[in-house]
């Protein structure tokens, strides 16, 4: 593969960098990997190229060191990115605020704005900015493109994006529903429309992105009209470690009655809630094993998870009126047949039927799991945010 046709996609987290080098038209992945535990003594890179996995362990001081390690490992396995070049670097950026709603070529001003948006995404945007900064230093002259998780939801209808709080406070603090996982919702809904052989502009869909983080969206004719995540990725569905929707009064109650600080409450809701808070595990496979072993806390966690999914399903069915497709994606959505069956159980009066054989068949492709003649198509569509980012980056640099 000609290196100058390839796009490097970087997803920089607070202590990790995930990456892929891929060809945006075909989607062929030349290499992929992960640097983890950045800033700790026991850092590690796992790099996969041509089916061969390379692993190195040792301290990785910061994001620049992490990216340098990625470049060194590429060189070791036959892809010298600095010498051979790449077409562009695509960066996943979590929060675009009100400023960014399209893939954006990064210059100094854009980088500064991404950093400024840290007030809205303190866990994510600073790490995203560090990744961009390091990539610019290592590949000067190569276009760096930021693709925002919030972008797809920028134009949500005002009734859906507005919180019912004092408008002056909301305006001063940039408080609105932004929505996240937008790259995934957009990509998956596009694939779903193609699978149905229909123009995306004609299809109404409900998409469930169920990974460690989880979100739902209602999409009318290709445009989202509602989504479950909000100002931050904390709102909405029950997640691996996040609570999703709670009574906001709980926060004041904890601060007053349990003497918790706001940082403690933030940690509780983001890291010690959801499945981990209810059952002590955030990995869905482990949760299912515990349920099979008769663990009551795990069974309750699962019931709460499904109850929340169905609440959003009901709300979005009414929002859309006519629904052509319900789509499941990401780790849990693509793999956990039981979740799909339970989320949509006993909804045949709404035209929603899951075919048990199709639902449990071993298949990794985008597929239909409802009977052909059911009014609502139920689909499983593997997400591919890296490919969507690579394509957006390639489009932007021509
Ligand atoms: P993220 O990208 O948000 O980190 P993923 O989309 O990779 O998350 O999803 C991770 C989740 O998917 C985990 O809870 C994991 O247990 C779950 N998962 C992965 N494979 C399966 C499977 N075969 N059955 C059930 N759950 C699965």
């Amino acid at each position: 593969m000609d290196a100058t046709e390839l796009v490097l996609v970087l997803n920089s987290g607070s202590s990790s960098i995930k990456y892929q080098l891929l060809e945006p038209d075909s989607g062929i992945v030349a290499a992929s990997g992960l640097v983890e535990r950045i800033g700790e003594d026991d850092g590690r890179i796992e790099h996969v190229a041509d089916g061969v996995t390379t692993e190195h362990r040792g301290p990785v001081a910061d994001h620049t060191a992490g990216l340098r390690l990625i470049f060194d490992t590429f060189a070791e396995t036959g892809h010298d990115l600095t010498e051979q070049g790449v077409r562009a670097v695509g960066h996943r950026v979590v929060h675009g605020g009100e400023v960014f709603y399209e893939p954006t070529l990064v210059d100094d001003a854009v980088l500064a704005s991404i950093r400024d948006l840290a007030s809205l995404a303190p866990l994510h945007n600073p790490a995203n900015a560090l990744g961009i900064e390091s990539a610019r230093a290592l590949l000067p002259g190569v276009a760096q493109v930021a693709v925002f998780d919030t972008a797809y939801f920028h134009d949500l209808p005002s009734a859906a994006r507005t919180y019912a709080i004092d408008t002056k406070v909301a305006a001063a603090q940039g408080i609105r529903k932004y929505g996240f996982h937008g790259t995934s919702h957009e990509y998956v809904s596009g694939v779903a429309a193609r699978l149905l052989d229909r123009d995306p502009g004609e299809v109404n869909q409900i998409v469930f992105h169920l990974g460690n983080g989880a979100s739902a969206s209602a999409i009318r004719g290709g445009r989202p009209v509602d989504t479950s995540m909000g100002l931050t990725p904390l709102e909405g569905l029950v997640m691996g470690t996040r609570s999703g929707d709670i009574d906001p009064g709980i926060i004041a109650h904890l601060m007053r009655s349990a003497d918790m600080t706001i940082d403690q409450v933030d940690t509780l809701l983001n890291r010690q809630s959801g499945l981990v808070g209810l059952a002590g595990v955030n990995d869905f496979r482990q949760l299912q094993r515990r349920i099979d072993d008769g663990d009551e806390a795990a069974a309750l966690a699962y019931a709460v998870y499904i109850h929340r999914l169905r609440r959003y399903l009901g709300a979005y069915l009414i929002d859309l009126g006519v629904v052509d497709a319900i789509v499941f994606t990401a780790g849990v959505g693509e793999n956990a047949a039981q979740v799909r069956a339970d989320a949509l159980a006993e909804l045949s009066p709404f035209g929603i039927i899951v075919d048990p054989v199709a639902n449990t068949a071993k298949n990794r492709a985008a597929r239909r799991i409802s009977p052909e003649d059911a009014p609502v198509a139920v689909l499983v569509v593997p997400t591919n945010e890296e490919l969507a980012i690579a394509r957006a980056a390639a489009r932007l640099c021509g």
Side-chain angles (χ1 to χ4, degrees), residues 18 181 209-213 282-286 288 330-332 335-336 385:
K18 288 187 199 147
H181 291 148
H209 175 114
L210 309 177
N212 273 317
N282 69 346
D283 187 296
F284 222 89
R285 284 162 291 195
Q286 262 177 295
Q288 288 175 313
V332 176
N335 295 298
E385 287 159 290

Side-chain angles (χ1 to χ4, degrees), residues 108-362:
D108 291 342
V110 168
L111 186 56
S113 301
I114 290 172
R115 266 200 216 97
D116 287 346
L117 288 165
S119 61
L120 289 172
L123 299 177
H124 297 105
N125 272 45
N128 301 154
L130 282 172
I132 296 175
E133 216 177 353
S134 309
R136 284 177 98 196
L138 283 172
L139 288 173
V142 173
Q144 310 283 331
V145 176
V147 178
F148 299 90
D149 239 29
T150 48
Y152 184 54
F153 300 114
H154 183 261
D155 295 326
L156 282 180
S158 52
R161 69 166 187 254
T162 304
Y163 290 107
I165 62 171
D166 184 325
T167 50
K168 290 189 286 300
V169 175
Q173 301 301 325
I175 294 173
R176 56 159 278 187
K177 184 182 273 283
Y178 289 98
F180 297 85
H181 291 148
T183 307
S184 177
H185 285 270
E186 184 174 20
Y187 172 82
V188 161
S189 58
V191 174
R194 280 198 293 285
L195 195 63
L196 298 175
D197 210 10
R198 303 210 17 215
D199 182 335
E202 294 173 351
V203 185
N204 288 357
Q205 328 187 20
I206 297 171
V207 176
F208 287 107
H209 175 114
L210 309 177
N212 273 317
S215 60
S217 66
I219 300 172
R220 186 195 304 283
R223 298 303 312 164
V225 294
D226 208 349
T227 192
S228 59
M229 284 178 166
L231 171 79
T232 73
L234 183 54
E235 190 180 351
L237 302 176
V238 175
M239 310 183 211
T241 64
R242 287 176 235 155
S243 61
D245 296 336
I246 58 163
D247 174 356
I250 292 173
I251 297 170
H253 177 71
L254 287 172
M255 294 178 72
R256 283 198 202 99
S257 299
D259 221 9
M260 287 174 80
T261 64
I262 194 62
D263 285 338
Q264 286 171 326
V265 175
D266 207 31
T267 302
L268 174 79
L269 297 179
N270 275 295
R271 299 188 186 277
Q272 298 158 356
S273 296
L275 299 177
V276 108
L278 290 169
V281 287
N282 69 346
D283 187 296
F284 222 89
R285 284 162 291 195
Q286 262 177 295
L287 184 80
Q288 288 175 313
R289 278 196 290 276
R290 296 238 182 136
I291 296 171
D292 292 343
D293 292 343
D295 182 329
E296 283 180 20
L300 176 62
Y302 183 79
V304 175
Y305 185 95
I306 296 293
H307 176 257
R308 188 77 52 81
L309 280 184
R310 288 173 70 93
R311 263 180 41 191
Y312 274 91
L313 176 71
Y316 291 172
L317 281 172
I318 298 298
D319 264 355
L320 292 171
V322 175
V323 174
D324 303 292
I326 297 171
V327 191
F328 290 91
T329 193
V332 176
E334 290 166 32
N335 295 298
Q338 192 65 46
V339 168
R340 300 190 295 258
D342 291 336
L344 305 184
E346 292 172 36
L347 295 177
S348 56
F350 297 91
I352 301 169
I353 303 161
V354 174
D355 174 345
V357 175
N359 187 33
T360 49
K362 290 262 171 287

